[in-house]
Amino acid sequence: MNSDQNIKEVLSNYPISLELVEVIPVKTGLIHTSYKVTEAQEASYLLQKINTSVFRDVETLMENIALVTNILKNAFRGSSYESLELLKTNNGQLFYKNECAAWRIYHFKEHLTGYDVPNNKEMVREAGKAFSVFAQALSETDPEKLSVTIPNFHSMQKRYGQLQHALENTTAEISHIDPLSKQIEEFKQLLLPLEYAMDSEEIPLRITHNDSKFNNLLFDEAGKARCVVDLDTVMPGIIHFDVGDCLRTLTPSAPEDEPELANIKLRKGFHSAFLEGFVENESGWLTKNEIKFLPYSAPYMALIMGIRFLTDYLQGNIYYSSDHPEHNLIRARCQVEVTKQFLDQIPLNSDPTRFFK
Ligand code: GN1
Ligand code: MG
């Protein structure tokens, strides 16, 4: 079956009219393959072929998403925020599986747009508020209700262990990686206290997004942040993962895969604007320890990404989609540089309460 026929076959299992249906590939991330499907009547959908080597248990993945979208839908009723909405199959299932793959469909948010980088501080403040509202909406639900779809997803110790394993097992000549590995080792030592605080329950587990990149937030035409998307990795985590992933993507002046390190500068005004937006919605639901550890968030997440990209490079680029063989190495160098700049410019012991009114 060619891919066109395959998609038609998938769609025939959904309440979608197949007449004059238009299917266009869209780039939404590094993991799944996505298409925008538009019906003759103008209803549109996001069809995704789920990457089952990353998400091995599709049923559990989709149950997490269904639970979270239901909670968000109720929590956001009457507000300007929206949740993603799944389209169930004709049999009422959360996804469709055929001999080729597992597929799912969301309603397409036609009226909203995502941006790789913020255009101004107001968007950044909006982002801070939106991720805070998202976390708060989920804060009443026991995180144990969600399954862990990718164990140790943001564990520095586990990710570092995977990197060491990859370094030991590669057959390639890797002396050019040595300076980068040394930096990673040094920064990891500084950032591990965040993970220790999580392990010792000094910081509470919540339901977190875990992939809260700036471009996983959609804005309306008036510039208001409206909807957090890409719910694949919603699972138990700490608030610092979500604060950190957004900060590491919106604060640097260059994209995640900037090859020229000299082009990477932190926009400290954006960093403050995000935290101001985040705490604007804070009404006592963050604990003292969560606040104390906020400065760890961004460098921690940037380093996690640096470690993961480098590991994938050493393993032959098997996880992330990439444009060329050095792409993951470039991404890794960039993220380690971002880590360095966060550590240099926003001390881990700085006092985040200055953002609170
Ligand atoms: C992956 O596919 P995408 O871009 O939403 C990855 C994230 C990384 C991100 C880096 C399941 O997300 O953890 O932060 O790439 N998702 C998974 O851009 O590994
Ligand atoms: Mg994602």
Side-chain angles (χ1 to χ4, degrees):
M1 211 175 342
N2 72 31
S3 109
D4 262 18
Q5 279 167 333
N6 197 1
I7 288 175
K8 285 257 158 86
E9 190 269 322
V10 173
L11 295 179
S12 72
N13 288 280
Y14 281 88
I16 291 179
S17 140
L18 288 181
E19 273 170 63
L20 295 174
V21 78
E22 185 185 51
V23 180
I24 320 172
V26 285
K27 205 162 187 290
T28 53
L30 308 185
I31 305 291
H32 306 299
T33 314
S34 305
Y35 304 88
K36 181 177 177 185
V37 174
T38 311
E39 270 182 329
Q41 300 92 316
E42 302 285 289
S44 51
Y45 306 91
L46 182 73
L47 166 68
Q48 294 190 301
K49 182 170 154 191
I50 300 170
N51 181 331
T52 45
S53 44
V54 172
F55 295 100
R56 289 170 189 276
D57 181 352
V58 180
E59 202 154 320
T60 305
L61 163 77
M62 295 310 294
E63 276 165 10
N64 273 1
I65 294 177
L67 183 79
V68 164
T69 50
N70 281 332
I71 298 170
L72 294 178
K73 201 170 152 197
N74 288 325
F76 294 163
R77 196 162 282 138
S79 87
S80 60
Y81 292 102
E82 303 176 19
S83 171
L84 274 180
E85 255 185 279
L86 284 166
L87 182 72
K88 288 192 181 159
T89 67
N90 291 331
N91 299 332
Q93 303 299 310
L94 299 171
F95 66 99
Y96 172 69
K97 202 166 180 225
N98 60 14
E99 67 278 13
C100 310
W103 305 79
R104 65 158 175 238
I105 295 186
Y106 286 112
H107 290 273
F108 200 90
K109 298 277 180 189
E110 198 72 62
H111 56 302
L112 304 180
T113 314
Y115 299 84
D116 282 333
V117 285
N119 295 333
N120 52 52
K121 254 193 197 173
E122 205 29 58
M123 283 178 91
V124 174
R125 184 187 288 271
E126 277 290 314
K129 213 163 120 193
F131 278 111
S132 178
V133 167
F134 178 90
Q136 189 189 12
L138 297 168
S139 65
E140 305 278 286
T141 307
D142 182 356
E144 301 250 314
K145 288 206 167 141
L146 290 193
S147 307
V148 176
T149 43
I150 307 182
N152 304 307
F153 192 48
H154 293 321
S155 163
M156 185 77 79
Q157 296 170 90
K158 291 286 167 15
R159 293 301 189 184
Y160 188 75
Q162 288 165 353
L163 172 61
Q164 292 313 305
H165 187 261
L167 283 165
E168 281 155 21
N169 286 286
T170 182
T171 48
E173 211 292 292
I174 50 160
S175 55
H176 60 298
I177 309 285
D178 289 352
L180 190 60
S181 312
K182 285 216 176 71
Q183 267 185 311
I184 289 176
E185 155 75 28
E186 180 196 332
F187 299 155
K188 175 200 69 144
Q189 284 310 116
L190 298 173
L191 292 165
L192 273 175
L194 180 64
E195 186 169 0
Y196 297 151
M198 175 176 83
D199 291 346
S200 65
E201 297 176 21
E202 250 180 279
I203 302 178
L205 276 189
R206 298 178 172 277
I207 297 175
T208 47
H209 183 283
N210 298 305
D211 189 14
S212 52
K213 299 188 288 193
F214 181 70
N215 63 9
N216 275 334
L217 180 63
L218 304 184
F219 289 79
D220 66 17
E221 277 183 0
K224 172 121 195 44
R226 297 277 294 272
C227 185
V228 171
V229 299
D230 187 358
L231 303 174
D232 286 333
T233 49
V234 282
M235 56 184 160
I238 53 175
I239 196 71
H240 309 79
F241 296 160
D242 287 1
V243 168
D245 206 36
C246 203
L247 280 174
R248 77 155 182 105
T249 52
L250 66 77
T251 314
S253 57
E256 177 176 81
D257 57 354
E258 171 60 50
E260 200 50 70
L261 299 190
N263 291 341
I264 305 170
K265 298 269 176 312
L266 292 191
R267 295 171 291 201
K268 284 173 83 177
F270 279 11
H271 180 268
S272 311
F274 180 89
L275 289 175
E276 280 161 19
F278 196 86
V279 302
E280 195 183 312
N281 174 59
E282 214 287 314
S283 49
W285 54 273
L286 284 179
T287 68
K288 261 200 184 134
N289 276 333
E290 284 181 303
I291 295 166
K292 184 177 104 187
F293 276 98
L294 278 178
Y296 282 75
S297 314
Y300 184 96
M301 289 305 292
L303 189 63
I304 286 277
M305 296 308 154
I307 292 174
R308 292 178 62 197
F309 287 138
L310 183 58
T311 307
D312 197 30
Y313 168 73
L314 293 167
Q315 291 178 336
N317 307 314
I318 51 177
Y319 187 91
Y320 294 110
S321 53
S322 49
D323 297 343
H324 54 87
E326 304 287 293
H327 202 166
N328 277 314
L329 178 59
I330 288 172
R331 286 173 176 146
R333 288 213 162 98
C334 173
Q335 290 305 301
V336 173
E337 173 65 19
V338 169
T339 310
K340 176 180 183 302
Q341 293 195 21
F342 273 118
L343 287 169
D344 284 350
Q345 294 174 41
I346 300 158
L348 291 177
N349 63 359
S350 55
D351 177 14
T353 54
R354 69 185 184 282
F355 297 108
F356 292 74
K357 292 213 180 74

